[in-house]
Amino acid sequence: MALSIEDLHSIQLGAWPTPLRPNPTLGQVVGIPDLWIKRDDLTGFSWGGNKVRAVEYLIADALRAGATEVVLAGGPSSNFAAVMAAAARSVGLGAHQVSYGSEPTDPVAALIAARSVGAQVHFTESPHRAEMETMATSLGRRRVEVGAVPYVVPRGGASDVGALGFIAAAIELDKQADETSDVPTTIVIPLGSGGSTAGLVAGLCCSHRNWKVHAVSVSRAPEDIEEDIVNKSIRCAALAGVTLTSAAVTSCLNVHDGRNPGFGKLSAEQERFATEMSTKTGLLIDPTYNAKTLFWLRDASLNTPILYWHTGGSLGALDFMLSSRRRSHRESQQSTADTESVR
Ligand SMILES: Cc1ncc(COP(=O)(O)O)c(C=O)c1O
């Protein structure tokens, strides 16, 4: 049976297709002259990024289920949470966000963005990210008791329905490859919750081209996430009417470890590299997903040409710029104070 997403419910929020072009300037910084970019930093809704694709299917599913609000799991710096909250509000649904930890002391752009569209944020008071889903489920139950109809969404929108957004992305890319010559078939993409990679691989498995996806995991060890992705690919393909085998999925998928030195952290070298990429290319490079993945790509020995899937992360890029600015301001004040104490 052919892959078909036309009959599945989605609402259009983004501007599709996102551009697909060679980017020799970024290629030069990364050391891959023949580098193309799929510009999901330009998805065109709210703060943009790859998550707009998942949100189009999740919101449609919530509306079909008669929901009055969404209850979503998302850390304070979650791009997904900010975009999902904006999408919920755009169709008149309420938005609750369950975040790990407690209210951050420093401002976090994604949290400000979610609250700016009216999301109510609840903290788990625990550092364990998995507890967000537990609390989101129990909050959902409490909301039912007061008459609300909640639609509960896991971290990153990585449900089988959310993954459909990247089946649509795979179909979009395959069509662009039909219309454009020399599109690279080796893809590198950041991997967080795994929903985007699962949908992408499911969609690309059904193409006549021999696509290969290299997903760079920034939060979990590859061995702890690969099986989840394969199973999610199979399940979301089934929603789109296709039976996939795990052998078909794994032949298209490679998961790599891009965590070093830890989720959301950059080494001094990675930080310099992220800054160099932004200053030389004008692209927004967020520290958590795209900087880490491009750093991994720089040192990987993949056969070129490469198609890099830029997943956005404008809010994280903004936090990165502000914290770099604050640090250089502190350093310059310190050096002025040191000079004055020597005089
Ligand atoms: C900017 C950005 N890139 C990549 C990802 C990873 O996508 P996924 O969680 O679907 O693996 C995320 C997840 O939140 C993200 O915000």
Side-chain angles (χ1 to χ4, degrees):
M1 227 205 273
L3 189 77
S4 162
I5 52 162
E6 269 97 59
D7 296 340
L8 298 169
H9 293 267
S10 71
I11 58 164
Q12 184 163 351
L13 297 169
W16 316 115
T18 57
L20 171 68
R21 291 194 197 111
N23 193 316
T25 320
L26 180 64
Q28 202 171 22
V29 184
V30 179
I32 298 173
D34 205 352
L35 182 72
W36 290 51
I37 313 191
K38 177 71 171 150
R39 299 288 307 267
D40 268 14
D41 52 327
L42 303 177
T43 46
F45 173 76
S46 181
W47 301 97
N50 59 331
K51 293 297 172 178
V52 174
R53 297 187 183 272
V55 162
E56 289 193 339
Y57 285 85
L58 292 167
I59 292 288
D61 201 39
L63 292 173
R64 200 177 37 164
T68 56
E69 61 187 29
V70 299
V71 174
L72 58 100
S77 59
S78 166
N79 298 298
F80 164 71
V83 172
M84 182 77 190
R89 302 300 296 133
S90 77
V91 294
L93 300 179
H96 291 266
Q97 173 176 349
V98 176
S99 271
Y100 65 85
S102 47
E103 183 72 44
T105 44
D106 285 334
V108 179
L111 200 56
I112 295 171
R115 282 182 166 140
S116 76
V117 292
Q120 288 185 48
V121 182
H122 312 256
F123 289 97
T124 61
E125 305 298 334
S126 154
H128 303 295
R129 281 183 275 152
E131 288 184 23
M132 291 190 282
E133 268 100 11
T134 315
M135 186 164 160
T137 306
S138 62
L139 176 61
R141 272 194 230 106
R142 289 204 306 281
R143 297 294 303 157
V144 170
E145 285 162 18
V146 296
V149 184
Y151 182 81
V152 179
V153 191
R155 265 177 288 170
S159 63
D160 299 348
V161 169
L164 289 171
F166 258 77
I167 289 195
I171 294 170
E172 177 182 306
L173 173 64
D174 216 28
K175 186 152 180 279
Q176 286 176 312
D178 285 342
E179 292 161 357
T180 317
S181 21
D182 302 328
V183 171
T185 51
T186 301
I187 299 171
V188 174
I189 185 168
L191 163 62
S193 64
S196 307
T197 297
L200 182 64
V201 171
L204 295 179
C205 274
C206 301
S207 159
H208 64 277
R209 286 187 181 80
N210 187 20
W211 295 102
K212 294 281 176 231
V213 176
H214 293 269
V216 180
S217 178
V218 299
S219 60
R220 276 180 277 175
E223 59 274 22
D224 293 342
I225 193 165
E226 190 160 358
E227 197 181 329
D228 274 6
I229 296 175
V230 172
N231 291 336
K232 201 183 297 294
S233 281
I234 293 170
R235 289 195 308 266
C236 73
L239 289 179
V242 163
T243 306
L244 285 183
T245 62
S246 62
V249 176
T250 48
S251 72
C252 170
L253 172 68
N254 300 274
V255 180
H256 304 277
D257 195 344
R259 291 173 297 162
N260 180 44
F263 179 64
K265 296 186 184 127
L266 293 182
S267 66
E269 188 191 0
Q270 288 168 339
E271 205 168 315
R272 276 194 300 278
F273 182 60
T275 307
E276 186 190 358
M277 284 189 287
S278 300
T279 49
K280 290 195 173 157
T281 67
L283 291 166
L284 284 180
I285 304 287
D286 79 293
T288 307
Y289 296 98
N290 291 286
K292 289 293 250 315
T293 303
L294 286 159
F295 186 79
W296 175 89
L297 175 60
R298 186 194 73 171
D299 294 344
S301 318
L302 295 183
N303 288 337
T304 59
I306 300 287
L307 190 167
Y308 180 69
W309 203 295
H310 192 318
T311 53
S314 53
L315 292 161
L318 181 60
D319 282 333
F320 180 57
M321 283 182 256
L322 288 171
S323 74
S324 303
R325 176 81 197 101
R326 277 196 290 265
R327 203 180 45 226
S328 61
H329 183 63
R330 267 198 313 274
E331 283 165 3
S332 84
Q333 277 185 324
Q334 184 60 48
S335 97
T336 310
D338 290 349
T339 314
E340 281 173 3
S341 73
V342 170
R343 272 193 201 137

